[in-house]
Coordinates of all heavy atoms in Angstrom, one line a residue:
M1 N 21.3 -7.8 11.9 CA 19.9 -7.6 11.5 C 19.3 -6.6 12.5 O 19.1 -6.9 13.6 CB 19.2 -9.0 11.6 CG 19.6 -10.0 10.6 SD 19.1 -9.6 8.9 CE 17.5 -10.3 8.9
G2 N 18.9 -5.5 11.9 CA 18.2 -4.5 12.7 C 16.7 -4.8 12.7 O 16.2 -5.8 12.3
Q3 N 16.0 -3.8 13.2 CA 14.6 -3.9 13.3 C 14.0 -3.6 11.9 O 14.4 -2.8 11.2 CB 14.0 -2.9 14.3 CG 14.0 -3.4 15.7 CD 12.6 -3.3 16.3 OE1 12.1 -2.2 16.4 NE2 12.0 -4.4 16.6
Q4 N 13.0 -4.4 11.6 CA 12.3 -4.2 10.3 C 11.4 -3.0 10.4 O 10.7 -2.8 11.4 CB 11.4 -5.4 10.0 CG 12.1 -6.7 9.8 CD 12.3 -7.0 8.3 OE1 12.4 -6.0 7.6 NE2 12.4 -8.2 8.0
P5 N 11.4 -2.2 9.3 CA 10.4 -1.1 9.3 C 9.0 -1.7 9.2 O 8.8 -2.7 8.5 CB 10.7 -0.3 8.1 CG 11.7 -1.1 7.3 CD 12.2 -2.2 8.1
I6 N 8.1 -1.2 10.0 CA 6.7 -1.7 10.0 C 5.8 -0.7 9.3 O 5.9 0.5 9.5 CB 6.2 -1.8 11.5 CG1 7.1 -2.8 12.2 CG2 4.7 -2.3 11.5 CD1 7.1 -4.2 11.8
R7 N 4.9 -1.2 8.4 CA 4.0 -0.4 7.7 C 2.6 -1.0 7.9 O 2.4 -2.2 8.1 CB 4.3 -0.2 6.3 CG 5.6 0.5 6.0 CD 5.5 2.0 6.3 NE 6.8 2.7 6.0 CZ 7.8 2.8 6.8 NH1 7.7 2.2 8.0 NH2 8.9 3.4 6.4
M8 N 1.6 -0.2 7.6 CA 0.2 -0.6 7.8 C -0.5 -0.8 6.5 O -0.4 0.0 5.6 CB -0.6 0.4 8.6 CG -1.9 -0.2 9.1 SD -2.9 1.1 10.0 CE -3.3 2.2 8.7
C9 N -1.2 -2.0 6.3 CA -2.0 -2.2 5.1 C -3.2 -1.2 5.2 O -3.9 -1.2 6.2 CB -2.5 -3.6 5.1 SG -3.7 -4.0 3.8
V10 N -3.4 -0.5 4.1 CA -4.5 0.5 4.1 C -5.9 -0.2 4.1 O -6.9 0.5 4.4 CB -4.4 1.5 3.0 CG1 -3.1 2.3 3.1 CG2 -4.6 0.9 1.6
F11 N -5.9 -1.4 3.8 CA -7.2 -2.1 3.7 C -7.6 -2.8 5.0 O -8.7 -2.6 5.5 CB -7.2 -3.1 2.5 CG -7.0 -2.4 1.2 CD1 -5.8 -2.4 0.6 CD2 -8.0 -1.6 0.6 CE1 -5.6 -1.7 -0.6 CE2 -7.8 -0.9 -0.6 CZ -6.6 -1.0 -1.2
C12 N -6.8 -3.7 5.5 CA -7.1 -4.4 6.7 C -6.5 -3.8 7.9 O -6.8 -4.2 9.0 CB -6.7 -5.9 6.6 SG -5.0 -6.1 6.4
R13 N -5.7 -2.8 7.7 CA -5.0 -2.0 8.8 C -4.1 -2.9 9.7 O -3.8 -2.5 10.8 CB -6.1 -1.3 9.6 CG -7.0 -0.4 8.8 CD -7.9 0.4 9.6 NE -7.3 1.6 10.2 CZ -7.1 2.7 9.5 NH1 -7.4 2.8 8.2 NH2 -6.6 3.7 10.1
R14 N -3.7 -4.0 9.2 CA -2.7 -4.8 9.9 C -1.4 -4.2 9.7 O -1.1 -3.6 8.7 CB -2.7 -6.3 9.3 CG -3.7 -7.2 10.0 CD -3.3 -8.6 9.6 NE -3.3 -8.8 8.2 CZ -2.6 -9.9 7.6 NH1 -2.1 -10.8 8.4 NH2 -2.6 -10.0 6.3
K15 N -0.6 -4.3 10.8 CA 0.8 -3.8 10.7 C 1.7 -4.9 10.5 O 1.8 -5.9 11.2 CB 1.1 -3.0 12.0 CG 0.3 -1.7 12.1 CD 0.7 -0.9 13.3 CE -0.1 0.4 13.2 NZ -0.5 0.8 14.5
L16 N 2.5 -4.8 9.4 CA 3.4 -5.8 9.0 C 4.8 -5.2 8.6 O 4.9 -4.1 8.3 CB 2.9 -6.5 7.8 CG 1.6 -7.3 8.0 CD1 0.9 -7.6 6.7 CD2 1.9 -8.6 8.7
P17 N 5.8 -6.1 8.6 CA 7.1 -5.6 8.1 C 7.0 -5.2 6.7 O 6.2 -5.8 5.9 CB 8.0 -6.9 8.2 CG 7.3 -7.8 9.2 CD 5.9 -7.5 9.1
K18 N 7.6 -4.1 6.4 CA 7.5 -3.5 5.1 C 7.8 -4.5 3.9 O 7.1 -4.4 2.9 CB 8.6 -2.3 5.0 CG 8.3 -1.3 4.0 CD 9.4 -0.2 4.1 CE 9.4 0.7 2.9 NZ 10.5 1.6 2.9
V19 N 8.7 -5.4 4.1 CA 9.0 -6.3 3.1 C 7.8 -7.3 2.7 O 7.8 -7.9 1.7 CB 10.2 -7.2 3.5 CG1 11.5 -6.4 3.4 CG2 10.1 -7.9 4.8
E20 N 6.9 -7.4 3.6 CA 5.7 -8.2 3.4 C 4.6 -7.5 2.8 O 3.5 -8.0 2.7 CB 5.3 -8.9 4.7 CG 6.3 -10.0 5.2 CD 5.9 -10.6 6.5 OE1 4.7 -10.7 6.7 OE2 6.8 -11.0 7.2
L21 N 4.8 -6.2 2.4 CA 3.7 -5.4 1.9 C 4.1 -5.0 0.5 O 5.2 -4.9 0.1 CB 3.5 -4.2 2.8 CG 3.1 -4.5 4.2 CD1 3.4 -3.3 5.1 CD2 1.6 -4.8 4.2
T22 N 3.0 -4.7 -0.3 CA 3.2 -4.1 -1.6 C 3.1 -2.6 -1.5 O 2.2 -2.1 -0.9 CB 2.2 -4.7 -2.6 OG1 2.2 -6.1 -2.6 CG2 2.5 -4.2 -4.0
R23 N 4.1 -1.9 -2.1 CA 4.1 -0.5 -2.0 C 3.4 0.2 -3.2 O 3.6 -0.3 -4.3 CB 5.5 0.0 -1.9 CG 5.6 1.5 -1.7 CD 7.1 1.9 -1.4 NE 7.2 3.3 -1.0 CZ 7.7 4.2 -1.9 NH1 8.1 3.9 -3.1 NH2 7.8 5.5 -1.5
F24 N 2.6 1.2 -3.0 CA 2.0 1.9 -4.0 C 2.4 3.4 -3.9 O 2.5 3.9 -2.7 CB 0.5 1.8 -4.0 CG -0.1 0.5 -4.3 CD1 -0.1 -0.5 -3.3 CD2 -0.5 0.2 -5.6 CE1 -0.6 -1.8 -3.6 CE2 -0.9 -1.1 -5.9 CZ -1.0 -2.1 -4.9
V25 N 2.6 4.1 -5.0 CA 2.8 5.5 -4.9 C 1.9 6.2 -5.9 O 1.4 5.6 -6.8 CB 4.3 5.9 -5.2 CG1 5.3 5.3 -4.2 CG2 4.7 5.4 -6.6
K26 N 1.7 7.5 -5.6 CA 0.9 8.3 -6.5 C 1.9 9.0 -7.4 O 2.8 9.7 -7.0 CB 0.1 9.3 -5.7 CG -1.1 9.8 -6.5 CD -2.0 10.6 -5.5 CE -2.9 11.5 -6.4 NZ -3.5 12.5 -5.5
Y27 N 1.7 8.8 -8.7 CA 2.6 9.3 -9.7 C 1.7 10.0 -10.8 O 0.9 9.3 -11.4 CB 3.4 8.2 -10.2 CG 4.5 8.6 -11.2 CD1 5.7 9.1 -10.7 CD2 4.3 8.5 -12.6 CE1 6.7 9.5 -11.6 CE2 5.3 8.9 -13.5 CZ 6.5 9.4 -13.0 OH 7.5 9.8 -13.8
D28 N 1.9 11.3 -10.9 CA 1.1 12.0 -11.9 C -0.4 11.8 -11.7 O -1.2 11.7 -12.6 CB 1.4 11.5 -13.3 CG 2.4 12.5 -14.0 OD1 2.8 13.5 -13.4 OD2 2.9 12.1 -15.1
G29 N -0.8 11.8 -10.4 CA -2.2 11.7 -10.1 C -2.8 10.3 -10.2 O -4.0 10.0 -10.0
V30 N -1.9 9.3 -10.6 CA -2.4 7.9 -10.7 C -1.6 7.1 -9.7 O -0.4 7.3 -9.4 CB -2.1 7.5 -12.2 CG1 -2.5 6.0 -12.4 CG2 -2.7 8.4 -13.2
I31 N -2.3 6.1 -9.2 CA -1.7 5.2 -8.3 C -1.0 4.0 -9.0 O -1.6 3.4 -9.8 CB -2.7 4.7 -7.2 CG1 -3.1 5.8 -6.3 CG2 -2.1 3.5 -6.4 CD1 -4.3 5.5 -5.5
V32 N 0.3 3.9 -8.8 CA 1.0 2.8 -9.5 C 1.6 1.9 -8.4 O 2.0 2.3 -7.3 CB 2.1 3.4 -10.4 CG1 1.5 4.1 -11.6 CG2 3.1 4.3 -9.7
R33 N 1.7 0.7 -8.8 CA 2.4 -0.3 -7.9 C 3.9 -0.1 -8.0 O 4.4 -0.1 -9.1 CB 1.9 -1.7 -8.3 CG 2.1 -2.7 -7.1 CD 1.4 -4.0 -7.3 NE 2.3 -4.8 -8.2 CZ 1.8 -5.9 -8.8 NH1 0.6 -6.2 -8.7 NH2 2.6 -6.6 -9.6
D34 N 4.5 -0.1 -6.9 CA 6.0 0.1 -6.9 C 6.6 -1.2 -6.5 O 7.0 -1.5 -5.4 CB 6.3 1.2 -5.9 CG 7.8 1.4 -5.8 OD1 8.5 1.1 -6.7 OD2 8.2 2.0 -4.8
D35 N 6.8 -2.1 -7.5 CA 7.3 -3.4 -7.3 C 8.8 -3.4 -6.9 O 9.2 -4.3 -6.1 CB 7.2 -4.2 -8.6 CG 5.8 -4.7 -8.8 OD1 5.1 -5.0 -7.8 OD2 5.3 -4.6 -10.0
T36 N 9.5 -2.4 -7.3 CA 10.9 -2.3 -6.9 C 11.2 -1.6 -5.7 O 12.3 -1.6 -5.1 CB 11.7 -1.7 -8.1 OG1 11.2 -0.3 -8.3 CG2 11.6 -2.5 -9.4
G37 N 10.1 -0.9 -5.2 CA 10.3 -0.1 -3.9 C 11.2 1.1 -4.1 O 11.8 1.7 -3.2
S38 N 11.3 1.6 -5.4 CA 12.3 2.6 -5.6 C 11.7 3.9 -6.1 O 12.4 4.9 -6.3 CB 13.3 2.1 -6.7 OG 12.6 1.8 -7.9
L39 N 10.4 3.9 -6.4 CA 9.8 5.2 -6.8 C 9.7 6.2 -5.7 O 9.5 5.8 -4.5 CB 8.3 4.9 -7.3 CG 8.2 4.0 -8.6 CD1 6.8 3.7 -8.9 CD2 8.9 4.7 -9.8
P40 N 9.9 7.4 -6.1 CA 10.0 8.5 -5.0 C 8.6 8.8 -4.5 O 7.6 8.5 -5.2 CB 10.6 9.7 -5.8 CG 10.2 9.5 -7.2 CD 10.1 8.0 -7.4
G41 N 8.5 9.5 -3.4 CA 7.2 9.9 -2.9 C 6.7 9.1 -1.7 O 7.3 8.1 -1.4
R42 N 5.7 9.6 -1.2 CA 5.1 8.8 -0.1 C 4.4 7.6 -0.6 O 3.8 7.6 -1.6 CB 4.0 9.7 0.5 CG 4.2 10.1 2.0 CD 3.3 11.2 2.4 NE 1.9 10.8 2.3 CZ 1.2 10.1 3.2 NH1 1.9 9.7 4.3 NH2 0.0 9.8 3.0
G43 N 4.6 6.5 0.2 CA 4.0 5.2 -0.3 C 2.7 4.9 0.6 O 2.5 5.4 1.7
A44 N 1.9 4.1 0.0 CA 0.8 3.5 0.7 C 1.0 2.0 0.5 O 1.5 1.5 -0.5 CB -0.6 3.9 0.1
Y45 N 0.6 1.2 1.6 CA 1.0 -0.2 1.6 C -0.2 -1.1 1.6 O -1.3 -0.8 2.2 CB 1.9 -0.5 2.7 CG 3.2 0.3 2.6 CD1 3.3 1.6 3.1 CD2 4.3 -0.3 2.0 CE1 4.5 2.3 2.9 CE2 5.5 0.4 1.9 CZ 5.6 1.7 2.3 OH 6.7 2.4 2.1
C46 N -0.1 -2.2 0.9 CA -1.1 -3.3 0.9 C -0.5 -4.6 1.2 O 0.6 -4.9 0.7 CB -1.8 -3.3 -0.5 SG -2.9 -4.6 -0.7
C47 N -1.1 -5.4 2.1 CA -0.5 -6.7 2.4 C -0.8 -7.7 1.3 O -1.5 -7.3 0.3 CB -1.0 -7.2 3.8 SG -2.8 -7.7 3.7
K48 N -0.4 -8.9 1.4 CA -0.5 -9.9 0.3 C -1.7 -10.8 0.5 O -1.9 -11.7 -0.2 CB 0.8 -10.7 0.2 CG 1.9 -9.7 0.0 CD 3.1 -10.2 -0.8 CE 4.0 -9.0 -1.1 NZ 5.4 -9.3 -1.0
D49 N -2.6 -10.4 1.5 CA -3.8 -11.1 1.6 C -4.7 -11.0 0.4 O -4.8 -9.9 -0.2 CB -4.6 -10.5 2.8 CG -5.8 -11.2 3.2 OD1 -6.9 -11.0 2.6 OD2 -5.8 -12.1 4.1
D50 N -5.3 -12.1 -0.1 CA -6.1 -12.0 -1.3 C -7.1 -10.9 -1.4 O -7.2 -10.3 -2.4 CB -6.8 -13.4 -1.5 CG -5.9 -14.5 -2.0 OD1 -4.7 -14.1 -2.4 OD2 -6.3 -15.6 -2.0
R51 N -7.8 -10.7 -0.3 CA -8.8 -9.7 -0.3 C -8.2 -8.3 -0.5 O -8.8 -7.5 -1.2 CB -9.6 -9.8 1.0 CG -10.8 -10.8 0.9 CD -11.6 -10.8 2.2 NE -11.7 -9.6 2.8 CZ -12.0 -9.4 4.1 NH1 -12.3 -10.4 4.9 NH2 -12.1 -8.2 4.6
C52 N -7.1 -8.1 0.2 CA -6.5 -6.8 0.1 C -5.9 -6.5 -1.3 O -6.0 -5.5 -1.8 CB -5.4 -6.7 1.2 SG -6.1 -6.7 2.9
V53 N -5.3 -7.6 -1.8 CA -4.7 -7.5 -3.2 C -5.8 -7.1 -4.2 O -5.7 -6.2 -5.0 CB -4.0 -8.8 -3.6 CG1 -3.7 -8.7 -5.1 CG2 -2.8 -9.0 -2.7
R54 N -7.0 -7.8 -4.0 CA -8.1 -7.5 -4.9 C -8.6 -6.1 -4.8 O -8.9 -5.4 -5.7 CB -9.2 -8.5 -4.8 CG -9.4 -9.3 -6.0 CD -10.6 -10.3 -5.8 NE -10.2 -11.3 -4.9 CZ -11.0 -11.8 -3.9 NH1 -12.2 -11.3 -3.8 NH2 -10.6 -12.7 -3.1
M55 N -8.7 -5.7 -3.5 CA -9.2 -4.3 -3.3 C -8.2 -3.3 -3.8 O -8.6 -2.2 -4.3 CB -9.4 -4.1 -1.8 CG -10.7 -4.7 -1.3 SD -11.1 -4.0 0.3 CE -10.3 -5.2 1.4
A56 N -6.9 -3.6 -3.7 CA -5.9 -2.7 -4.2 C -6.0 -2.6 -5.8 O -5.8 -1.5 -6.3 CB -4.5 -3.1 -3.8
E57 N -6.3 -3.7 -6.4 CA -6.4 -3.7 -7.9 C -7.5 -2.8 -8.3 O -7.4 -2.1 -9.4 CB -6.6 -5.1 -8.4 CG -5.3 -5.9 -8.4 CD -5.5 -7.4 -8.7 OE1 -6.7 -7.8 -8.8 OE2 -4.5 -8.1 -8.7
H58 N -8.6 -2.8 -7.6 CA -9.7 -2.0 -8.1 C -9.9 -0.7 -7.2 O -10.5 0.2 -7.7 CB -11.0 -2.9 -8.0 CG -10.8 -4.1 -8.8 ND1 -10.8 -4.1 -10.2 CD2 -10.7 -5.4 -8.4 CE1 -10.6 -5.4 -10.6 NE2 -10.6 -6.2 -9.5
D59 N -9.3 -0.7 -6.1 CA -9.5 0.4 -5.1 C -10.9 0.9 -5.1 O -11.2 2.1 -5.2 CB -8.5 1.5 -5.5 CG -8.2 2.4 -4.3 OD1 -8.5 2.0 -3.1 OD2 -7.8 3.6 -4.5
E60 N -11.8 -0.1 -4.9 CA -13.2 0.2 -4.9 C -13.6 1.3 -3.9 O -14.5 2.1 -4.2 CB -14.0 -1.1 -4.6 CG -14.0 -2.0 -5.8 CD -14.2 -3.5 -5.4 OE1 -14.5 -3.7 -4.2 OE2 -14.1 -4.3 -6.2
K61 N -13.1 1.3 -2.7 CA -13.4 2.3 -1.7 C -12.5 3.5 -1.8 O -12.7 4.4 -0.9 CB -13.4 1.6 -0.4 CG -14.5 0.6 -0.2 CD -14.5 -0.1 1.1 CE -15.5 -1.2 1.2 NZ -15.3 -2.2 2.2
G62 N -11.6 3.5 -2.7 CA -10.7 4.6 -2.8 C -9.8 4.8 -1.6 O -9.3 5.8 -1.3
L63 N -9.6 3.7 -1.0 CA -8.7 3.7 0.2 C -7.3 4.1 -0.1 O -6.6 4.8 0.7 CB -8.8 2.4 1.0 CG -10.1 2.2 1.8 CD1 -10.1 0.8 2.3 CD2 -10.3 3.2 2.8
L64 N -6.8 3.5 -1.2 CA -5.4 3.9 -1.5 C -5.3 5.4 -1.9 O -4.5 6.1 -1.4 CB -5.0 3.1 -2.8 CG -4.3 1.7 -2.5 CD1 -4.0 1.1 -3.9 CD2 -3.1 1.8 -1.7
M65 N -6.3 5.8 -2.7 CA -6.3 7.2 -3.1 C -6.4 8.1 -1.8 O -5.8 9.1 -1.7 CB -7.5 7.4 -4.0 CG -7.4 8.7 -4.8 SD -5.9 9.0 -5.7 CE -6.3 8.6 -7.4
K66 N -7.3 7.7 -0.9 CA -7.6 8.5 0.3 C -6.3 8.6 1.1 O -6.0 9.6 1.7 CB -8.7 7.8 1.1 CG -9.8 8.7 1.4 CD -10.9 8.0 2.3 CE -11.9 7.4 1.4 NZ -12.9 6.5 2.3
S67 N -5.5 7.5 1.2 CA -4.4 7.5 2.0 C -3.3 8.5 1.5 O -2.5 9.0 2.3 CB -3.7 6.1 2.1 OG -3.0 5.8 0.9
F68 N -3.4 8.9 0.3 CA -2.5 9.9 -0.2 C -3.0 11.3 0.0 O -2.3 12.3 -0.2 CB -2.3 9.7 -1.7 CG -1.5 8.5 -2.1 CD1 -2.0 7.4 -2.6 CD2 -0.1 8.5 -1.8 CE1 -1.3 6.3 -2.9 CE2 0.7 7.4 -2.1 CZ 0.1 6.3 -2.7
K69 N -4.2 11.4 0.4 CA -4.8 12.8 0.7 C -4.5 13.2 2.1 O -4.7 14.4 2.4 CB -6.3 12.8 0.4 CG -6.5 12.8 -1.1 CD -8.0 12.9 -1.5 CE -8.2 12.8 -3.0 NZ -9.5 12.4 -3.4
K70 N -4.2 12.3 2.9 CA -3.9 12.6 4.3 C -2.6 13.4 4.4 O -1.7 13.2 3.6 CB -3.8 11.4 5.2 CG -5.2 10.9 5.6 CD -5.0 9.7 6.6 CE -5.5 8.4 5.9 NZ -5.0 7.2 6.5
N71 N -2.5 14.2 5.4 CA -1.3 15.1 5.6 C -1.1 16.1 4.5 O -1.1 15.8 3.4 CB 0.0 14.2 5.7 CG -0.1 13.1 6.7 OD1 -0.7 13.3 7.8 ND2 0.3 11.9 6.4
Ligands
ZN1 ZN1 -4.3 -6.1 4.2

């Protein structure tokens, strides 16, 4: 067992093992949830906290979208 990759939830900014996060990717200008973790491209991550999940569903503050504009 190696080290788990760590990713940050874009909403609460907690750092968690990648396996505990939901991955989103931007595909054709639209943010889609990547349940299988197999879609290509840069991912943005959301933890499974209820509040974060709800924010990801609506992306009210555009945080997911914003995270794809960086870099
Ligand atoms: Zn979170």
Side-chain angles (χ1 to χ4, degrees):
M1 292 290 273
Q3 273 234 302
Q4 294 266 25
I6 302 294
R7 294 291 182 274
M8 190 181 73
C9 170
V10 298
F11 298 104
C12 64
R13 306 183 80 80
R14 271 194 305 161
K15 289 183 178 146
L16 294 162
K18 202 178 165 188
V19 290
E20 290 178 28
L21 298 158
T22 305
R23 184 173 187 257
F24 292 84
V25 294
K26 199 170 161 192
Y27 186 79
D28 262 355
V30 181
I31 291 167
V32 293
R33 201 167 81 193
D34 179 19
D35 287 319
T36 59
S38 60
L39 293 174
R42 243 167 60 81
Y45 297 85
C46 173
C47 72
K48 304 211 167 138
D49 186 276
D50 282 349
R51 273 180 37 197
C52 295
V53 169
R54 242 180 295 136
M55 282 195 273
E57 280 168 1
H58 305 290
D59 200 20
E60 285 155 6
K61 292 175 184 164
L63 286 174
L64 271 179
M65 195 53 102
K66 239 182 265 172
S67 75
F68 287 106
K69 285 182 181 158
K70 278 185 252 162
N71 306 319

